[in-house]
mmCIF file with all atom_site columns, all heavy atoms in Angstrom:
data_model
loop_
_atom_site.group_PDB
_atom_site.id
_atom_site.type_symbol
_atom_site.label_atom_id
_atom_site.label_alt_id
_atom_site.label_comp_id
_atom_site.label_asym_id
_atom_site.label_entity_id
_atom_site.label_seq_id
_atom_site.pdbx_PDB_ins_code
_atom_site.Cartn_x
_atom_site.Cartn_y
_atom_site.Cartn_z
_atom_site.occupancy
_atom_site.B_iso_or_equiv
_atom_site.pdbx_formal_charge
_atom_site.auth_seq_id
_atom_site.auth_comp_id
_atom_site.auth_asym_id
_atom_site.auth_atom_id
_atom_site.pdbx_PDB_model_num
ATOM 1   N N   . GLU A 1 475 ? -39.462 21.032 29.344 1.00 0.00 ? 475 GLU A N   1
ATOM 2   C CA  . GLU A 1 475 ? -40.084 22.197 29.981 1.00 0.00 ? 475 GLU A CA  1
ATOM 3   C C   . GLU A 1 475 ? -41.393 21.830 30.669 1.00 0.00 ? 475 GLU A C   1
ATOM 4   O O   . GLU A 1 475 ? -41.642 22.239 31.812 1.00 0.00 ? 475 GLU A O   1
ATOM 5   C CB  . GLU A 1 475 ? -40.329 23.292 28.945 1.00 0.00 ? 475 GLU A CB  1
ATOM 6   C CG  . GLU A 1 475 ? -40.875 24.580 29.567 1.00 0.00 ? 475 GLU A CG  1
ATOM 7   C CD  . GLU A 1 475 ? -41.050 25.685 28.543 1.00 0.00 ? 475 GLU A CD  1
ATOM 8   O OE1 . GLU A 1 475 ? -40.632 25.479 27.375 1.00 0.00 ? 475 GLU A OE1 1
ATOM 9   O OE2 . GLU A 1 475 ? -41.589 26.735 28.900 1.00 0.00 ? 475 GLU A OE2 1
ATOM 10  N N   . SER A 1 476 ? -42.234 21.026 30.005 1.00 0.00 ? 476 SER A N   1
ATOM 11  C CA  . SER A 1 476 ? -43.514 20.662 30.616 1.00 0.00 ? 476 SER A CA  1
ATOM 12  C C   . SER A 1 476 ? -43.306 19.772 31.832 1.00 0.00 ? 476 SER A C   1
ATOM 13  O O   . SER A 1 476 ? -43.971 19.941 32.866 1.00 0.00 ? 476 SER A O   1
ATOM 14  C CB  . SER A 1 476 ? -44.403 19.950 29.589 1.00 0.00 ? 476 SER A CB  1
ATOM 15  O OG  . SER A 1 476 ? -43.793 18.756 29.136 1.00 0.00 ? 476 SER A OG  1
ATOM 16  N N   . SER A 1 478 ? -40.601 19.715 33.708 1.00 0.00 ? 478 SER A N   1
ATOM 17  C CA  . SER A 1 478 ? -39.999 20.552 34.754 1.00 0.00 ? 478 SER A CA  1
ATOM 18  C C   . SER A 1 478 ? -41.050 21.393 35.455 1.00 0.00 ? 478 SER A C   1
ATOM 19  O O   . SER A 1 478 ? -41.010 21.553 36.678 1.00 0.00 ? 478 SER A O   1
ATOM 20  C CB  . SER A 1 478 ? -38.923 21.455 34.143 1.00 0.00 ? 478 SER A CB  1
ATOM 21  O OG  . SER A 1 478 ? -37.892 20.702 33.544 1.00 0.00 ? 478 SER A OG  1
ATOM 22  N N   . ARG A 1 479 ? -41.992 21.932 34.686 1.00 0.00 ? 479 ARG A N   1
ATOM 23  C CA  . ARG A 1 479 ? -43.044 22.755 35.278 1.00 0.00 ? 479 ARG A CA  1
ATOM 24  C C   . ARG A 1 479 ? -43.879 21.931 36.254 1.00 0.00 ? 479 ARG A C   1
ATOM 25  O O   . ARG A 1 479 ? -44.186 22.390 37.368 1.00 0.00 ? 479 ARG A O   1
ATOM 26  C CB  . ARG A 1 479 ? -43.911 23.349 34.177 1.00 0.00 ? 479 ARG A CB  1
ATOM 27  C CG  . ARG A 1 479 ? -44.953 24.324 34.695 1.00 0.00 ? 479 ARG A CG  1
ATOM 28  C CD  . ARG A 1 479 ? -45.573 25.136 33.560 1.00 0.00 ? 479 ARG A CD  1
ATOM 29  N NE  . ARG A 1 479 ? -46.185 24.307 32.552 1.00 0.00 ? 479 ARG A NE  1
ATOM 30  C CZ  . ARG A 1 479 ? -45.720 24.132 31.310 1.00 0.00 ? 479 ARG A CZ  1
ATOM 31  N NH1 . ARG A 1 479 ? -44.612 24.745 30.934 1.00 0.00 ? 479 ARG A NH1 1
ATOM 32  N NH2 . ARG A 1 479 ? -46.350 23.361 30.434 1.00 0.00 ? 479 ARG A NH2 1
ATOM 33  N N   . GLU A 1 480 ? -44.228 20.728 35.859 1.00 0.00 ? 480 GLU A N   1
ATOM 34  C CA  . GLU A 1 480 ? -45.023 19.869 36.741 1.00 0.00 ? 480 GLU A CA  1
ATOM 35  C C   . GLU A 1 480 ? -44.224 19.449 37.967 1.00 0.00 ? 480 GLU A C   1
ATOM 36  O O   . GLU A 1 480 ? -44.748 19.411 39.089 1.00 0.00 ? 480 GLU A O   1
ATOM 37  C CB  . GLU A 1 480 ? -45.488 18.633 35.960 1.00 0.00 ? 480 GLU A CB  1
ATOM 38  C CG  . GLU A 1 480 ? -46.433 17.739 36.754 1.00 0.00 ? 480 GLU A CG  1
ATOM 39  C CD  . GLU A 1 480 ? -46.906 16.547 35.942 1.00 0.00 ? 480 GLU A CD  1
ATOM 40  O OE1 . GLU A 1 480 ? -46.638 16.510 34.722 1.00 0.00 ? 480 GLU A OE1 1
ATOM 41  O OE2 . GLU A 1 480 ? -47.518 15.650 36.542 1.00 0.00 ? 480 GLU A OE2 1
ATOM 42  N N   . LEU A 1 481 ? -42.949 19.157 37.763 1.00 0.00 ? 481 LEU A N   1
ATOM 43  C CA  . LEU A 1 481 ? -42.092 18.762 38.882 1.00 0.00 ? 481 LEU A CA  1
ATOM 44  C C   . LEU A 1 481 ? -41.942 19.892 39.889 1.00 0.00 ? 481 LEU A C   1
ATOM 45  O O   . LEU A 1 481 ? -42.056 19.694 41.101 1.00 0.00 ? 481 LEU A O   1
ATOM 46  C CB  . LEU A 1 481 ? -40.715 18.339 38.356 1.00 0.00 ? 481 LEU A CB  1
ATOM 47  C CG  . LEU A 1 481 ? -39.644 18.023 39.407 1.00 0.00 ? 481 LEU A CG  1
ATOM 48  C CD1 . LEU A 1 481 ? -40.110 16.896 40.308 1.00 0.00 ? 481 LEU A CD1 1
ATOM 49  C CD2 . LEU A 1 481 ? -38.331 17.664 38.732 1.00 0.00 ? 481 LEU A CD2 1
ATOM 50  N N   . VAL A 1 482 ? -41.695 21.098 39.393 1.00 0.00 ? 482 VAL A N   1
ATOM 51  C CA  . VAL A 1 482 ? -41.532 22.253 40.288 1.00 0.00 ? 482 VAL A CA  1
ATOM 52  C C   . VAL A 1 482 ? -42.811 22.505 41.068 1.00 0.00 ? 482 VAL A C   1
ATOM 53  O O   . VAL A 1 482 ? -42.776 22.792 42.268 1.00 0.00 ? 482 VAL A O   1
ATOM 54  C CB  . VAL A 1 482 ? -41.116 23.496 39.475 1.00 0.00 ? 482 VAL A CB  1
ATOM 55  C CG1 . VAL A 1 482 ? -41.201 24.747 40.331 1.00 0.00 ? 482 VAL A CG1 1
ATOM 56  C CG2 . VAL A 1 482 ? -39.697 23.326 38.949 1.00 0.00 ? 482 VAL A CG2 1
ATOM 57  N N   . GLU A 1 483 ? -43.957 22.385 40.410 1.00 0.00 ? 483 GLU A N   1
ATOM 58  C CA  . GLU A 1 483 ? -45.229 22.617 41.097 1.00 0.00 ? 483 GLU A CA  1
ATOM 59  C C   . GLU A 1 483 ? -45.425 21.611 42.230 1.00 0.00 ? 483 GLU A C   1
ATOM 60  O O   . GLU A 1 483 ? -45.846 21.977 43.333 1.00 0.00 ? 483 GLU A O   1
ATOM 61  C CB  . GLU A 1 483 ? -46.389 22.526 40.108 1.00 0.00 ? 483 GLU A CB  1
ATOM 62  C CG  . GLU A 1 483 ? -47.731 22.830 40.749 1.00 0.00 ? 483 GLU A CG  1
ATOM 63  C CD  . GLU A 1 483 ? -48.854 22.950 39.729 1.00 0.00 ? 483 GLU A CD  1
ATOM 64  O OE1 . GLU A 1 483 ? -48.556 23.099 38.533 1.00 0.00 ? 483 GLU A OE1 1
ATOM 65  O OE2 . GLU A 1 483 ? -50.020 22.904 40.145 1.00 0.00 ? 483 GLU A OE2 1
ATOM 66  N N   . VAL A 1 486 ? -42.833 22.540 45.087 1.00 0.00 ? 486 VAL A N   1
ATOM 67  C CA  . VAL A 1 486 ? -43.234 23.724 45.849 1.00 0.00 ? 486 VAL A CA  1
ATOM 68  C C   . VAL A 1 486 ? -44.428 23.393 46.742 1.00 0.00 ? 486 VAL A C   1
ATOM 69  O O   . VAL A 1 486 ? -44.473 23.798 47.914 1.00 0.00 ? 486 VAL A O   1
ATOM 70  C CB  . VAL A 1 486 ? -43.562 24.890 44.894 1.00 0.00 ? 486 VAL A CB  1
ATOM 71  C CG1 . VAL A 1 486 ? -44.187 26.051 45.657 1.00 0.00 ? 486 VAL A CG1 1
ATOM 72  C CG2 . VAL A 1 486 ? -42.303 25.355 44.177 1.00 0.00 ? 486 VAL A CG2 1
ATOM 73  N N   . VAL A 1 505 ? -34.742 26.194 43.708 1.00 0.00 ? 505 VAL A N   1
ATOM 74  C CA  . VAL A 1 505 ? -35.811 25.927 42.734 1.00 0.00 ? 505 VAL A CA  1
ATOM 75  C C   . VAL A 1 505 ? -36.207 27.217 42.018 1.00 0.00 ? 505 VAL A C   1
ATOM 76  O O   . VAL A 1 505 ? -36.331 27.255 40.787 1.00 0.00 ? 505 VAL A O   1
ATOM 77  C CB  . VAL A 1 505 ? -37.031 25.296 43.434 1.00 0.00 ? 505 VAL A CB  1
ATOM 78  C CG1 . VAL A 1 505 ? -38.236 25.272 42.497 1.00 0.00 ? 505 VAL A CG1 1
ATOM 79  C CG2 . VAL A 1 505 ? -36.711 23.886 43.889 1.00 0.00 ? 505 VAL A CG2 1
ATOM 80  N N   . PHE A 1 506 ? -36.389 28.303 42.773 1.00 0.00 ? 506 PHE A N   1
ATOM 81  C CA  . PHE A 1 506 ? -36.770 29.579 42.168 1.00 0.00 ? 506 PHE A CA  1
ATOM 82  C C   . PHE A 1 506 ? -35.657 30.115 41.277 1.00 0.00 ? 506 PHE A C   1
ATOM 83  O O   . PHE A 1 506 ? -35.930 30.782 40.271 1.00 0.00 ? 506 PHE A O   1
ATOM 84  C CB  . PHE A 1 506 ? -37.107 30.601 43.255 1.00 0.00 ? 506 PHE A CB  1
ATOM 85  C CG  . PHE A 1 506 ? -38.535 30.545 43.713 1.00 0.00 ? 506 PHE A CG  1
ATOM 86  C CD1 . PHE A 1 506 ? -38.965 29.541 44.577 1.00 0.00 ? 506 PHE A CD1 1
ATOM 87  C CD2 . PHE A 1 506 ? -39.459 31.477 43.288 1.00 0.00 ? 506 PHE A CD2 1
ATOM 88  C CE1 . PHE A 1 506 ? -40.282 29.480 45.001 1.00 0.00 ? 506 PHE A CE1 1
ATOM 89  C CE2 . PHE A 1 506 ? -40.784 31.432 43.706 1.00 0.00 ? 506 PHE A CE2 1
ATOM 90  C CZ  . PHE A 1 506 ? -41.196 30.421 44.568 1.00 0.00 ? 506 PHE A CZ  1
ATOM 91  N N   . SER A 1 508 ? -33.354 28.184 39.630 1.00 0.00 ? 508 SER A N   1
ATOM 92  C CA  . SER A 1 508 ? -33.140 27.310 38.471 1.00 0.00 ? 508 SER A CA  1
ATOM 93  C C   . SER A 1 508 ? -34.334 27.304 37.520 1.00 0.00 ? 508 SER A C   1
ATOM 94  O O   . SER A 1 508 ? -34.162 27.212 36.307 1.00 0.00 ? 508 SER A O   1
ATOM 95  C CB  . SER A 1 508 ? -32.858 25.878 38.943 1.00 0.00 ? 508 SER A CB  1
ATOM 96  O OG  . SER A 1 508 ? -31.754 25.841 39.813 1.00 0.00 ? 508 SER A OG  1
ATOM 97  N N   . PHE A 1 509 ? -35.549 27.390 38.074 1.00 0.00 ? 509 PHE A N   1
ATOM 98  C CA  . PHE A 1 509 ? -36.770 27.317 37.251 1.00 0.00 ? 509 PHE A CA  1
ATOM 99  C C   . PHE A 1 509 ? -37.680 28.490 37.611 1.00 0.00 ? 509 PHE A C   1
ATOM 100 O O   . PHE A 1 509 ? -38.736 28.300 38.231 1.00 0.00 ? 509 PHE A O   1
ATOM 101 C CB  . PHE A 1 509 ? -37.503 25.996 37.478 1.00 0.00 ? 509 PHE A CB  1
ATOM 102 C CG  . PHE A 1 509 ? -36.645 24.780 37.306 1.00 0.00 ? 509 PHE A CG  1
ATOM 103 C CD1 . PHE A 1 509 ? -36.062 24.162 38.410 1.00 0.00 ? 509 PHE A CD1 1
ATOM 104 C CD2 . PHE A 1 509 ? -36.401 24.258 36.046 1.00 0.00 ? 509 PHE A CD2 1
ATOM 105 C CE1 . PHE A 1 509 ? -35.264 23.044 38.249 1.00 0.00 ? 509 PHE A CE1 1
ATOM 106 C CE2 . PHE A 1 509 ? -35.617 23.135 35.883 1.00 0.00 ? 509 PHE A CE2 1
ATOM 107 C CZ  . PHE A 1 509 ? -35.038 22.537 36.989 1.00 0.00 ? 509 PHE A CZ  1
ATOM 108 N N   . PRO A 1 510 ? -37.281 29.715 37.271 1.00 0.00 ? 510 PRO A N   1
ATOM 109 C CA  . PRO A 1 510 ? -38.070 30.881 37.714 1.00 0.00 ? 510 PRO A CA  1
ATOM 110 C C   . PRO A 1 510 ? -39.502 30.893 37.199 1.00 0.00 ? 510 PRO A C   1
ATOM 111 O O   . PRO A 1 510 ? -40.433 31.174 37.949 1.00 0.00 ? 510 PRO A O   1
ATOM 112 C CB  . PRO A 1 510 ? -37.256 32.066 37.181 1.00 0.00 ? 510 PRO A CB  1
ATOM 113 C CG  . PRO A 1 510 ? -36.386 31.506 36.101 1.00 0.00 ? 510 PRO A CG  1
ATOM 114 C CD  . PRO A 1 510 ? -36.104 30.100 36.483 1.00 0.00 ? 510 PRO A CD  1
ATOM 115 N N   . LYS A 1 511 ? -39.693 30.588 35.916 1.00 0.00 ? 511 LYS A N   1
ATOM 116 C CA  . LYS A 1 511 ? -41.039 30.640 35.350 1.00 0.00 ? 511 LYS A CA  1
ATOM 117 C C   . LYS A 1 511 ? -41.918 29.537 35.914 1.00 0.00 ? 511 LYS A C   1
ATOM 118 O O   . LYS A 1 511 ? -43.091 29.760 36.261 1.00 0.00 ? 511 LYS A O   1
ATOM 119 C CB  . LYS A 1 511 ? -40.966 30.525 33.828 1.00 0.00 ? 511 LYS A CB  1
ATOM 120 C CG  . LYS A 1 511 ? -42.300 30.793 33.136 1.00 0.00 ? 511 LYS A CG  1
ATOM 121 C CD  . LYS A 1 511 ? -42.132 30.839 31.622 1.00 0.00 ? 511 LYS A CD  1
ATOM 122 C CE  . LYS A 1 511 ? -43.460 31.166 30.930 1.00 0.00 ? 511 LYS A CE  1
ATOM 123 N NZ  . LYS A 1 511 ? -43.309 31.214 29.459 1.00 0.00 ? 511 LYS A NZ  1
ATOM 124 N N   . ALA A 1 512 ? -41.360 28.328 36.024 1.00 0.00 ? 512 ALA A N   1
ATOM 125 C CA  . ALA A 1 512 ? -42.126 27.210 36.584 1.00 0.00 ? 512 ALA A CA  1
ATOM 126 C C   . ALA A 1 512 ? -42.447 27.464 38.058 1.00 0.00 ? 512 ALA A C   1
ATOM 127 O O   . ALA A 1 512 ? -43.542 27.139 38.529 1.00 0.00 ? 512 ALA A O   1
ATOM 128 C CB  . ALA A 1 512 ? -41.335 25.912 36.433 1.00 0.00 ? 512 ALA A CB  1
ATOM 129 N N   . ALA A 1 513 ? -41.508 28.062 38.795 1.00 0.00 ? 513 ALA A N   1
ATOM 130 C CA  . ALA A 1 513 ? -41.749 28.372 40.209 1.00 0.00 ? 513 ALA A CA  1
ATOM 131 C C   . ALA A 1 513 ? -42.841 29.422 40.356 1.00 0.00 ? 513 ALA A C   1
ATOM 132 O O   . ALA A 1 513 ? -43.662 29.360 41.280 1.00 0.00 ? 513 ALA A O   1
ATOM 133 C CB  . ALA A 1 513 ? -40.457 28.842 40.863 1.00 0.00 ? 513 ALA A CB  1
ATOM 134 N N   . TRP A 1 514 ? -42.858 30.404 39.444 1.00 0.00 ? 514 TRP A N   1
ATOM 135 C CA  . TRP A 1 514 ? -43.900 31.432 39.473 1.00 0.00 ? 514 TRP A CA  1
ATOM 136 C C   . TRP A 1 514 ? -45.276 30.805 39.258 1.00 0.00 ? 514 TRP A C   1
ATOM 137 O O   . TRP A 1 514 ? -46.235 31.115 39.990 1.00 0.00 ? 514 TRP A O   1
ATOM 138 C CB  . TRP A 1 514 ? -43.598 32.483 38.408 1.00 0.00 ? 514 TRP A CB  1
ATOM 139 C CG  . TRP A 1 514 ? -44.770 33.289 37.936 1.00 0.00 ? 514 TRP A CG  1
ATOM 140 C CD1 . TRP A 1 514 ? -45.331 33.286 36.699 1.00 0.00 ? 514 TRP A CD1 1
ATOM 141 C CD2 . TRP A 1 514 ? -45.537 34.217 38.707 1.00 0.00 ? 514 TRP A CD2 1
ATOM 142 N NE1 . TRP A 1 514 ? -46.384 34.149 36.647 1.00 0.00 ? 514 TRP A NE1 1
ATOM 143 C CE2 . TRP A 1 514 ? -46.546 34.747 37.872 1.00 0.00 ? 514 TRP A CE2 1
ATOM 144 C CE3 . TRP A 1 514 ? -45.474 34.652 40.028 1.00 0.00 ? 514 TRP A CE3 1
ATOM 145 C CZ2 . TRP A 1 514 ? -47.465 35.668 38.303 1.00 0.00 ? 514 TRP A CZ2 1
ATOM 146 C CZ3 . TRP A 1 514 ? -46.409 35.583 40.466 1.00 0.00 ? 514 TRP A CZ3 1
ATOM 147 C CH2 . TRP A 1 514 ? -47.381 36.085 39.608 1.00 0.00 ? 514 TRP A CH2 1
ATOM 148 N N   . LYS A 1 515 ? -45.395 29.913 38.290 1.00 0.00 ? 515 LYS A N   1
ATOM 149 C CA  . LYS A 1 515 ? -46.681 29.259 38.042 1.00 0.00 ? 515 LYS A CA  1
ATOM 150 C C   . LYS A 1 515 ? -47.059 28.349 39.203 1.00 0.00 ? 515 LYS A C   1
ATOM 151 O O   . LYS A 1 515 ? -48.235 28.224 39.553 1.00 0.00 ? 515 LYS A O   1
ATOM 152 C CB  . LYS A 1 515 ? -46.610 28.469 36.740 1.00 0.00 ? 515 LYS A CB  1
ATOM 153 C CG  . LYS A 1 515 ? -46.498 29.360 35.503 1.00 0.00 ? 515 LYS A CG  1
ATOM 154 C CD  . LYS A 1 515 ? -46.571 28.552 34.221 1.00 0.00 ? 515 LYS A CD  1
ATOM 155 C CE  . LYS A 1 515 ? -46.539 29.467 32.997 1.00 0.00 ? 515 LYS A CE  1
ATOM 156 N NZ  . LYS A 1 515 ? -46.617 28.716 31.732 1.00 0.00 ? 515 LYS A NZ  1
ATOM 157 N N   . ALA A 1 516 ? -46.055 27.724 39.817 1.00 0.00 ? 516 ALA A N   1
ATOM 158 C CA  . ALA A 1 516 ? -46.330 26.841 40.952 1.00 0.00 ? 516 ALA A CA  1
ATOM 159 C C   . ALA A 1 516 ? -46.855 27.619 42.148 1.00 0.00 ? 516 ALA A C   1
ATOM 160 O O   . ALA A 1 516 ? -47.812 27.197 42.810 1.00 0.00 ? 516 ALA A O   1
ATOM 161 C CB  . ALA A 1 516 ? -45.054 26.089 41.332 1.00 0.00 ? 516 ALA A CB  1
ATOM 162 N N   . ILE A 1 517 ? -46.271 28.789 42.422 1.00 0.00 ? 517 ILE A N   1
ATOM 163 C CA  . ILE A 1 517 ? -46.720 29.566 43.580 1.00 0.00 ? 517 ILE A CA  1
ATOM 164 C C   . ILE A 1 517 ? -48.094 30.158 43.324 1.00 0.00 ? 517 ILE A C   1
ATOM 165 O O   . ILE A 1 517 ? -48.911 30.283 44.247 1.00 0.00 ? 517 ILE A O   1
ATOM 166 C CB  . ILE A 1 517 ? -45.678 30.652 43.922 1.00 0.00 ? 517 ILE A CB  1
ATOM 167 C CG1 . ILE A 1 517 ? -45.750 30.993 45.413 1.00 0.00 ? 517 ILE A CG1 1
ATOM 168 C CG2 . ILE A 1 517 ? -45.848 31.906 43.098 1.00 0.00 ? 517 ILE A CG2 1
ATOM 169 C CD1 . ILE A 1 517 ? -45.317 29.898 46.326 1.00 0.00 ? 517 ILE A CD1 1
ATOM 170 N N   . ARG A 1 518 ? -48.395 30.504 42.081 1.00 0.00 ? 518 ARG A N   1
ATOM 171 C CA  . ARG A 1 518 ? -49.748 30.974 41.747 1.00 0.00 ? 518 ARG A CA  1
ATOM 172 C C   . ARG A 1 518 ? -50.772 29.874 41.996 1.00 0.00 ? 518 ARG A C   1
ATOM 173 O O   . ARG A 1 518 ? -51.863 30.130 42.504 1.00 0.00 ? 518 ARG A O   1
ATOM 174 C CB  . ARG A 1 518 ? -49.812 31.419 40.291 1.00 0.00 ? 518 ARG A CB  1
ATOM 175 C CG  . ARG A 1 518 ? -49.245 32.793 40.022 1.00 0.00 ? 518 ARG A CG  1
ATOM 176 C CD  . ARG A 1 518 ? -49.502 33.225 38.581 1.00 0.00 ? 518 ARG A CD  1
ATOM 177 N NE  . ARG A 1 518 ? -50.929 33.281 38.269 1.00 0.00 ? 518 ARG A NE  1
ATOM 178 C CZ  . ARG A 1 518 ? -51.404 33.617 37.079 1.00 0.00 ? 518 ARG A CZ  1
ATOM 179 N NH1 . ARG A 1 518 ? -50.571 33.907 36.087 1.00 0.00 ? 518 ARG A NH1 1
ATOM 180 N NH2 . ARG A 1 518 ? -52.705 33.658 36.867 1.00 0.00 ? 518 ARG A NH2 1
ATOM 181 N N   . PHE A 1 571 ? -42.584 38.595 36.555 1.00 0.00 ? 571 PHE A N   1
ATOM 182 C CA  . PHE A 1 571 ? -43.598 38.062 35.637 1.00 0.00 ? 571 PHE A CA  1
ATOM 183 C C   . PHE A 1 571 ? -44.935 38.805 35.689 1.00 0.00 ? 571 PHE A C   1
ATOM 184 O O   . PHE A 1 571 ? -45.665 38.804 34.705 1.00 0.00 ? 571 PHE A O   1
ATOM 185 C CB  . PHE A 1 571 ? -43.843 36.577 35.945 1.00 0.00 ? 571 PHE A CB  1
ATOM 186 C CG  . PHE A 1 571 ? -42.632 35.712 35.763 1.00 0.00 ? 571 PHE A CG  1
ATOM 187 C CD1 . PHE A 1 571 ? -41.928 35.246 36.859 1.00 0.00 ? 571 PHE A CD1 1
ATOM 188 C CD2 . PHE A 1 571 ? -42.184 35.383 34.493 1.00 0.00 ? 571 PHE A CD2 1
ATOM 189 C CE1 . PHE A 1 571 ? -40.799 34.441 36.695 1.00 0.00 ? 571 PHE A CE1 1
ATOM 190 C CE2 . PHE A 1 571 ? -41.063 34.580 34.317 1.00 0.00 ? 571 PHE A CE2 1
ATOM 191 C CZ  . PHE A 1 571 ? -40.358 34.125 35.422 1.00 0.00 ? 571 PHE A CZ  1
#
Side-chain angles (χ1 to χ4, degrees):
E475 185 177 354
S476 61
S478 300
R479 185 167 58 250
E480 185 178 351
L481 174 59
V482 169
E483 183 171 344
V486 171
V505 169
F506 273 77
S508 303
F509 307 97
K511 189 173 182 180
W514 157 246
K515 292 186 177 180
I517 207 67
R518 281 187 60 181
F571 298 105

